[in-house]
Amino acid sequence: MALALGASLVLPQAAPAQDAQTLADIRQEMSVLFVEVQRLRRELSTTGGPGVTIPGGSVLDRVGLMESELQRLTRKTEELEFRINAIVSDGTTRLGDLEFRLCELEPACDIGKLGQTTTLGGGAAPATTGQIASPIQPPPAQTAPTAELAIGERADFDRAAAALASGDYRGAADLFAAFNQTYPGGPLSAEADLKRGQALAQLDDVRGAARAYLLAFTTDQTGPQAPEALFLLGEALGRLGQTQEACTTLQEVGLRFPQSPSVVSAQEARARLGCL
């Protein structure tokens, strides 16, 4: 960067005494000052496309690279902000001095009515404590961020859901299993495991269904699929003869999700199992 405005704002050392300056001299100094401000504004303009490229690789590698680049850009932003604030503060002081001297040469000018000099660039005057500005703060975390779907993710999920709705339980189970292998950790992962468990239950694969329900619940324990997944897991455990585990799991549905419709189904299942 060629931010040399701070040096260029220095007035000539061999300038004549204040009372010997003419009105034209002061106006010329003000013109030079504003030209340098325009140069500063050009420094703040972009000169081309972004120079950051995120190569391929694992998610962890890309996240690490992005974090490193963000830290570098944050440090650069802090340095530039400090330099710009110093330039604005110095330029504003010099401009105020020029306005005062200009008013002295104007017969009709009242120095007492000059007021405060407008900050260069507008806005509040920057702090000049000599310290670098505080780091950029990240945006506040959202309580329920909206996850984006990968290309083709919704279409693949809908294809598996259509197979389940049509009664093709084996095809649906396979499609949902392939879905979560293709899009691991995606926003539809929990629902995919839940529906895979339902397909396996229709194929009398109760153990496989129980595993799918457990995975659906552990993937997102507070999501919209969690109450049903927990209920179906408890019901599957009961069918596998694990009555005590089933009763405990079904009881958790009401404790964790008291407003969910699955609570009634869980209570009915507990009654059938004879849970205390």
Side-chain angles (χ1 to χ4, degrees):
M1 299 290 286
L3 283 175
L5 179 56
S8 65
L9 288 178
V10 178
L11 299 178
Q13 297 296 324
Q18 176 176 327
D19 55 359
Q21 278 188 312
T22 66
L23 179 61
D25 290 332
I26 296 179
R27 284 177 175 169
Q28 183 181 29
E29 289 182 11
M30 294 182 71
S31 298
V32 171
L33 181 61
F34 280 106
V35 168
E36 295 301 335
V37 171
Q38 292 300 321
R39 291 183 185 178
L40 176 60
R41 288 177 177 173
R42 285 198 297 272
E43 290 290 343
L44 298 178
S45 301
T46 59
T47 58
V52 180
T53 57
I54 305 300
S58 68
V59 174
L60 291 178
D61 290 341
R62 285 180 288 169
V63 169
L65 179 60
M66 286 187 289
E67 289 178 346
S68 176
E69 187 62 19
L70 180 59
Q71 291 174 359
R72 184 187 71 82
L73 292 175
T74 299
R75 289 193 299 269
K76 190 65 176 177
T77 301
E78 293 170 355
E79 293 171 1
L80 293 177
E81 182 180 5
F82 175 73
R83 294 174 65 183
I84 291 172
N85 285 345
I87 291 170
V88 170
S89 178
D90 181 70
T92 301
T93 301
R94 292 176 182 273
L95 183 59
D97 182 64
L98 289 174
E99 289 177 345
F100 180 85
R101 288 149 64 186
L102 180 61
C103 186
E104 285 184 324
L105 296 177
E106 292 280 0
C109 181
D110 185 355
I111 295 177
K113 296 181 179 180
L114 283 180
Q116 187 175 4
T117 303
T118 303
T119 305
L120 291 181
T128 55
T129 60
Q131 298 179 353
I132 295 179
S134 60
I136 298 173
Q137 297 297 324
Q142 298 179 356
T143 55
T146 303
E148 295 183 0
L149 298 179
I151 298 176
E153 187 171 357
R154 170 57 67 180
D156 289 349
F157 182 89
D158 290 343
R159 189 178 304 111
L164 178 62
S166 67
D168 181 8
Y169 302 121
R170 173 49 58 191
D174 293 341
L175 286 172
F176 280 122
F179 176 86
N180 273 344
Q181 290 178 355
T182 306
Y183 310 103
L188 298 175
S189 295
E191 188 175 0
D193 279 321
L194 176 65
K195 292 186 177 298
R196 180 168 65 89
Q198 292 172 338
L200 291 174
Q202 292 293 331
L203 296 171
D204 292 329
D205 184 0
V206 182
R207 191 172 299 276
R211 292 194 185 100
Y213 297 144
L214 177 61
L215 188 56
F217 176 72
T218 55
T219 297
D220 188 358
Q221 298 186 21
T222 59
Q225 315 300 326
E228 185 178 6
L230 193 60
F231 155 65
L232 291 175
L233 173 59
E235 191 178 50
L237 289 174
R239 293 177 61 185
L240 290 171
Q242 301 181 23
T243 305
Q244 182 176 354
E245 291 80 0
C247 290
T248 302
T249 302
L250 292 169
Q251 185 179 24
E252 283 294 313
V253 177
L255 295 176
R256 290 173 178 261
F257 314 102
Q259 305 300 323
S260 172
S262 296
V263 174
V264 176
S265 300
Q267 292 173 343
E268 294 173 351
R270 281 176 54 85
R272 289 194 298 270
L273 291 172
C275 300
L276 300 178

